[in-house]
Amino acid sequence: MKLLTLTSAIILLTPGFSSRVVDARPTLPDANCRCDVNDRFDPQAKMPQGIHQGKCINSCHQRSLRRLSAAEADQYGIEPQAIAVANVSHQNQFWVA
């Protein structure tokens, strides 16, 4: 995982299309669903429900952001007061920002 410094951020707000609450939490990590064995932020997740329930989520191309703890951020030289996230997609790679 490499460090990517963002100089600006864009926040996208999408209006809700439904008032229905959906539990979209992936299942516990499964080593069979790993995209990159050297990437410690790979979610290794399976689909929790629906017609694809139990199938591996393709984390090689899309992932949810994961907020880093202060100790994890420190490993990348990020100051403790900053917000650091893993799995920022840029140029077909995932970065810490």
Side-chain angles (χ1 to χ4, degrees):
M1 185 73 56
K2 298 174 182 147
L3 178 64
L4 176 68
T5 304
L6 299 177
T7 55
S8 62
I10 298 173
I11 299 173
L12 300 176
L13 300 175
T14 305
F17 292 102
S18 171
S19 61
R20 183 174 60 118
V21 175
V22 177
D23 183 8
R25 290 176 294 179
T27 58
L28 294 174
D30 183 334
N32 295 321
C33 295
R34 183 167 273 228
C35 176
D36 181 354
V37 296
N38 297 316
D39 185 351
R40 66 186 192 144
F41 299 115
D42 186 333
Q44 307 171 46
K46 291 185 176 185
M47 293 297 290
Q49 61 189 11
I51 61 171
H52 299 289
Q53 182 175 5
K55 293 183 182 176
C56 291
I57 293 173
N58 185 351
S59 61
C60 297
H61 302 289
Q62 293 181 336
R63 297 182 186 174
S64 296
L65 293 178
R66 180 178 170 274
R67 187 171 181 174
L68 301 183
S69 68
E72 290 171 321
D74 185 54
Q75 295 174 4
Y76 292 91
I78 299 171
E79 297 177 8
Q81 69 274 15
I83 296 174
V85 293
N87 295 333
V88 175
S89 180
H90 176 67
Q91 296 181 344
N92 298 319
Q93 293 181 334
F94 293 103
W95 302 74
V96 168

